[in-house]
Amino acid sequence: MAYDVIVLGGGPGGYSAAEKAGAAGLKTVCIEGRAYGGTCLNEGCIPTKALLYSGKMYVHAKEDVYGVHAENVTIDHNAVIDRKNKVVKTLVSGVEATLKSKKVEMVKEYGKVVGKGAEGYLVEAGGKTYEGKNLIIATGSVCAIIPIPGLKEGLASGYVLTNRELLDMRELPKKLVVLGGGVIGLEMATYLAMVGVDITIIEMLDHIAGNTDKDLVKDLQKSCEKMGMHFILKAKVTEVKADRVVYEKDGKTMEAEADKVLLSIGRRANTKDVGLENIGVEMNRGAVVTDEHMKTNVPNVYAIGDVNAKIMLAHVAYREADVAVNNILGIKDVMRYNAVPSVIYTLPELSSVGETEESAKAKGIDVRVIKLPMSYSGRFLVENEGVRGTMKLVFNKKYDTLIGAQFLCNYSSEFVAICAGYIEMELTAKDIQQIIMPHPTVAEIIREAVNQY
Ligand code: NAI
């Protein structure tokens, strides 16, 4: 008998879709070729945060600013990796246990779509064929590679690492050159700089950290530089040699020496060898095209998470999973991307949701911006000796509604979602003023800012 749902891929999108489908009583199979939990749990969000937490503990222990004196503070990188592995193992078993409890069949094999049968779509995995009335493609993304001399050879020899290898690297390099000053590059660089690695980040744009608030990004770069990182902006990498990276800047060819190189110039949708062409799924530049219901052009075939390349974030995949399964169940649900929080877990963290001042203006929205130093928060001052932080709230001046928020502030990842809620509910400055926040918290600076509206 055919499955109601075949989920291809067991990352945040895939496993949460399978859990939801299983919980709703649908006969579901989740096919995963590597490890349940996907990139996020095994070689992305979670392991990076484990390393960063150890790094932060180390940095704070050495600080000597809160009246605490510790001598001979050291960090054991191998112990850090072991602990990271322990956390990952616990969470992966948790995902597997939940899938089991929702009666989802788990198949630990690579699956490939091979065509259509009498009852549904056919997926081959581990020599068996599975037939599903609905198919959810959640095959994620892979590290993008630039076609420059020496890069493939560097990856093959282990001189060039992606996030996958770097997270299991047992021996720390003295000098690391990072290609790409985006999320992965900055987070990995933050941990490695904290444990004493000499970091140089080569970025082709004139700024790091992607498309978030330009002022906050400048401040973030200063903080990173204070930690010892070097930035080479507006530079084009042209070659990777055995012990160095060659790049062009201002028309000149230059070199940066490195013991290891991290490749983090973006990710691309993983649609290679998935067999989507066998059922005619429409693609755009290698990513699956979906509508607001997460439907592809092929009936009963959905695509969620990085594979549709809309916004490559685990939490977006979770929500897309809800939307896909709800649509399978006949429950009306639509995906919106206007209030997606995103965080770069640097020191301090850079959190953002909705429009930035620049993006709103580019859309022709008349904005009112409230910008405050984080020192307006008593709790921030108490816990951030010598750290500068800034926040920005962006309002649509016509309606007084909040449309964006950015924070350069430690643990802002924990409260940026408050603003996501306000944006999603289309609350005005006046509405937000009436919401009570606990005191003392760092988040209450949002109230402080809104009171100045
Ligand atoms: P990214 O898109 O965040 O950053 C890549 C950077 O590389 C960009 O700044 C780009 O301008 C630069 N670049 C591209 N080609 C280059 C070249 N040839 N030379 C120099 N610089 C070049 O991609 P990243 O950091 O690889 O992350 C991939 C994905 O993983 C992202 O979509 C991100 O959302 C996700 N991720 C999210 C995390 C989070 O939410 N905290 C953590 C880690 C990854």
Side-chain angles (χ1 to χ4, degrees), residues 166-320:
L166 193 125
L167 284 164
D168 280 327
M169 180 176 68
R170 290 279 172 178
E171 205 177 316
L172 289 172
K174 281 200 173 64
K175 281 185 179 196
L176 178 84
V177 166
V178 179
L179 308 186
V183 195
I184 294 182
L186 289 168
E187 291 187 2
M188 298 287 188
T190 298
Y191 168 70
L192 292 168
M194 288 192 287
V195 297
V197 178
D198 182 349
I199 305 280
T200 300
I201 297 184
I202 303 179
E203 165 60 52
M204 70 177 184
L205 302 177
D206 64 357
H207 63 274
I208 57 168
N211 288 327
T212 188
D213 184 87
K214 299 278 179 293
D215 295 337
L216 269 58
V217 163
K218 275 187 203 143
D219 288 347
L220 173 64
Q221 186 176 331
K222 280 184 206 149
S223 295
C224 292
E225 283 165 346
K226 232 171 110 184
M227 291 173 68
M229 294 183 210
H230 312 282
F231 290 92
I232 303 170
L233 303 180
K234 290 205 272 181
K236 188 171 172 240
V237 182
T238 53
E239 189 177 354
V240 174
K241 292 191 172 172
D243 61 351
R244 62 198 58 223
V245 171
V246 186
Y247 61 93
E248 275 173 21
K249 184 168 164 64
D250 303 329
K252 289 188 203 124
T253 301
M254 298 165 105
E255 294 183 340
E257 275 182 30
D259 302 318
K260 291 276 182 204
V261 175
L262 169 65
L263 179 65
S264 52
I265 50 131
R267 292 180 69 85
R268 61 168 180 78
N270 180 26
T271 49
K272 206 172 155 229
D273 297 330
V274 180
L276 300 178
E277 61 288 350
N278 294 328
I279 52 168
V281 173
E282 186 191 350
M283 313 255 216
N284 181 17
R285 291 198 275 163
V288 179
V289 177
T290 52
D291 65 10
E292 76 271 28
H293 302 111
M294 311 324 300
K295 290 179 179 169
T296 68
N297 62 315
V298 181
N300 305 324
V301 178
Y302 298 76
I304 58 172
D306 288 8
V307 76
N308 66 36
K310 286 204 162 103
I311 300 183
M312 289 190 177
L313 292 171
H315 44 284
V316 170
Y318 290 144
R319 176 68 194 126
E320 290 179 339

Side-chain angles (χ1 to χ4, degrees), residues 384-440:
N384 288 273
E385 186 70 42
V387 180
R388 276 184 51 205
T390 313
M391 66 139 351
K392 261 190 179 183
L393 295 186
V394 183
F395 290 88
N396 183 325
K397 209 169 171 181
K398 192 167 168 194
Y399 306 108
D400 296 330
T401 47
L402 184 70
I403 54 169
Q406 292 83 40
F407 303 88
L408 181 65
C409 163
N410 286 327
Y411 292 105
S412 51
S413 53
E414 293 295 341
F415 58 79
V416 64
I418 295 174
C419 291
Y422 296 166
I423 295 170
E424 186 67 38
M425 304 304 290
E426 299 181 347
L427 297 193
T428 63
K430 207 169 170 195
D431 295 329
I432 300 169
Q433 278 165 9
Q434 292 168 23
I435 294 168
I436 299 168
M437 288 196 140
H439 173 78

Side-chain angles (χ1 to χ4, degrees), residues 299-356:
N300 305 324
V301 178
Y302 298 76
I304 58 172
D306 288 8
V307 76
N308 66 36
K310 286 204 162 103
I311 300 183
M312 289 190 177
L313 292 171
H315 44 284
V316 170
Y318 290 144
R319 176 68 194 126
E320 290 179 339
D322 286 351
V323 172
V325 177
N326 279 337
N327 278 278
I328 289 172
L329 293 167
I331 300 166
K332 229 174 152 186
D333 200 0
V334 167
M335 188 67 203
R336 292 180 300 279
Y337 296 94
N338 63 314
V340 174
S342 67
V343 180
I344 308 184
Y345 293 81
T346 36
L347 202 66
E349 293 173 354
L350 179 58
S351 306
S352 181
V353 59
E355 304 289 347
T356 61

